[in-house]
Amino acid sequence: MRVFSGIRASGDKTLGNYSGGFRQYVATQDEAAADGGEAFFCVVDLHSITTPIEPAVLRESTLSVAAWLFAFGLDQQRSTVFVQSQVVAHAEAAWLLGAVSSFGELRRMTQFKEKSEGQEFVSAALFNYPVLMAGDILLYQADVVPIGDDQRQHLELSRTIAERFNLRYGETFVVPRGAYPREGARIRNLQEPDRLMSTSRGAPQGVVRLVDSPDIIRRKFKTAVTDSGREIVHDPEAKPGISNLIEILAVASGESIADIEARYEDHGYGQFKQDVGEAVVELLAPYQQRYAELRADDAELRRMLAVGAQKAATAAQPTLDRMYERMGFAR
Ligand code: TYM
């Protein structure tokens, strides 16, 4: 089993990234190790420049996201953790795969529509973003891609691109499948439960950041919007606010949704919200501490990433060479 996933270097990472991203990376790292496979996790800094970002912010958030990857439990002995721009194969693969990706497919991507809407400047890079992502995955012949639900459409396009290349140029890529968490595949903004929890859009008060202090986290949950009625039941259509909080508690505590519903049968919203906040504070505290320790030594962090980049480059090169060869480049 080969695992690949990527996470953008931008903004502050959120509880949503933990749920769909970090915790799944650690779980799949363990599965891959148990299976004698390999796992690759990448800070995708090339993806970060698809929307405006200050150079200083890009530099800082690349190291910050890398530190979070290690803080949550990725282990250099078992996984390859690296920064995308340090492995040039990613940029090359994206260009080559652009030839088997259609304008119509890219134009239909929901994330492109959302991120370009109302913007004065929409970069060509934002449009091509899913092609770069397909290359990330396909270069490593990954079978499994742990992601949240918001990346489902991009993953499906990666599969289409792989199949099309294989058909046109001969079997070259493993066609990957997405791995989505059972609960918390789409954590929503606490103030606007119809929206994904994300730092780029939506009410900031409804976004739990991994760096938030315990008091800020408690306050955000205390003021989370709930729904009409009084029952604490999981019904995303009728009760999006409460259902989101139930999923967050399931993610933070490891309890099932049914157990949570049963436990809170006779409780009101106020107590429930307070408990969810407390569970998140407890969940994050040890990781925040580990993150701070890692950030105290950026030189060591850089060294770890350099090791990862070398391993990743070695793993990606044979596939890139095959792509050039199959497409007919005289090299
Ligand atoms: P990114 O950096 O936006 O998010 C990283 C991971 O976090 C998940 N996620 C969420 N999961 C649940 N609820 C949420 N509210 C939430 N918000 C974010 C995302 O689904 C993702 O798994 N395009 C990707 C990065 C990427 C990539 C790849 C991923 C580039 N190349 C190759 C996998 C494979 C992105 O922008 O994720």
Side-chain angles (χ1 to χ4, degrees):
M1 166 181 172
R2 269 237 171 155
V3 175
F4 183 95
S5 199
I7 180 160
R8 254 176 313 143
S10 48
D12 282 331
K13 292 295 145 180
T14 71
L15 187 60
N17 293 124
Y18 170 74
S19 183
F22 296 112
R23 77 182 167 123
Q24 290 215 94
Y25 306 157
V26 177
T28 48
Q29 157 182 269
D30 295 344
E31 281 168 40
D35 183 60
E38 280 184 277
F40 297 85
F41 300 101
C42 181
V43 182
V44 292
D45 55 348
L46 295 174
H47 281 85
S48 304
I49 59 165
T50 57
T51 47
I53 182 166
E54 288 293 325
V57 173
L58 177 59
R59 218 168 280 131
E60 157 57 26
S61 50
T62 301
L63 283 184
S64 164
V65 173
W68 279 117
L69 289 172
F70 291 118
F72 280 113
L74 290 187
D75 163 11
Q76 246 202 326
Q77 304 306 320
R78 288 187 291 162
S79 294
T80 303
V81 180
F82 67 105
V83 175
Q84 188 184 32
S85 65
Q86 294 178 13
V87 179
V88 289
H90 290 256
E92 294 179 68
W95 182 256
L96 299 185
L97 292 175
V100 290
S101 312
S102 82
F103 177 79
E105 283 162 342
L106 294 173
R107 193 176 40 183
R108 281 197 292 278
M109 292 291 117
T110 311
Q111 189 169 302
F112 172 71
K113 287 192 231 167
E114 282 174 4
K115 289 200 171 177
S116 57
E117 194 183 13
Q119 299 299 316
E120 203 176 301
F121 181 86
V122 177
S123 72
L126 183 65
F127 188 71
N128 284 321
Y129 178 114
V131 184
L132 180 60
M133 177 163 163
D136 297 341
I137 300 165
L138 302 182
L139 274 176
Y140 296 88
Q141 305 288 351
D143 320 275
V144 178
V145 182
I147 40 176
D149 197 52
D150 61 301
Q151 294 299 320
R152 190 182 290 270
Q153 200 184 23
H154 289 160
L155 196 273
E156 289 308 315
L157 181 59
S158 298
R159 291 168 57 87
T160 304
I161 291 172
E163 281 163 357
R164 190 173 294 137
F165 192 102
N166 285 347
L167 202 66
R168 217 178 265 184
Y169 299 108
E171 263 330 286
T172 305
F173 298 124
V174 167
V175 180
R177 71 177 168 82
Y180 305 91
R182 198 153 28 119
E183 285 115 22
R186 186 175 275 271
I187 298 287
R188 293 154 188 287
N189 185 301
L190 302 182
Q191 294 294 322
E192 299 168 277
D194 53 326
R195 274 206 155 137
L196 191 75
M197 182 184 283
S198 153
T199 43
S200 52
R201 341 184 78 205
Q205 177 68 12
V207 179
V208 180
R209 294 162 189 254
L210 297 178
V211 291
D212 280 349
S213 70
D215 281 346
I216 290 180
I217 294 174
R218 288 189 187 104
R219 201 171 326 131
K220 285 180 176 171
F221 279 98
K222 204 170 167 190
T223 56
V225 302
T226 46
D227 313 291
S228 56
R230 306 169 36 136
E231 306 77 46
I232 296 169
V233 290
H234 189 256
D235 180 349
E237 290 290 308
K239 289 174 146 301
I242 286 293
S243 302
N244 190 37
L245 292 171
I246 292 177
E247 290 204 31
I248 290 173
L249 185 54
V251 168
S253 69
E255 263 178 300
S256 73
I257 288 179
D259 285 351
I260 292 169
E261 286 174 335
R263 192 149 67 82
Y264 282 95
E265 217 182 318
D266 300 319
H267 290 67
Y269 285 167
Q271 180 67 51
F272 175 61
K273 288 201 287 185
Q274 199 177 317
D275 290 359
V276 182
E278 218 45 56
V280 171
V281 167
E282 255 175 57
L283 167 77
L284 293 182
Y287 299 126
Q288 290 178 330
Q289 163 130 23
R290 181 86 190 100
Y291 172 81
E293 287 162 13
L294 285 156
R295 286 313 307 270
D297 191 353
D298 280 353
E300 170 64 5
L301 203 53
R302 282 206 173 85
R303 198 195 56 74
M304 288 158 81
L305 293 169
V307 172
Q310 210 154 40
K311 278 166 65 185
T314 306
Q317 198 58 43
T319 300
L320 184 68
D321 288 343
R322 217 170 304 141
M323 290 167 71
Y324 277 122
E325 201 245 322
R326 301 243 155 110
M327 294 179 90
F329 288 92
R331 285 164 35 105

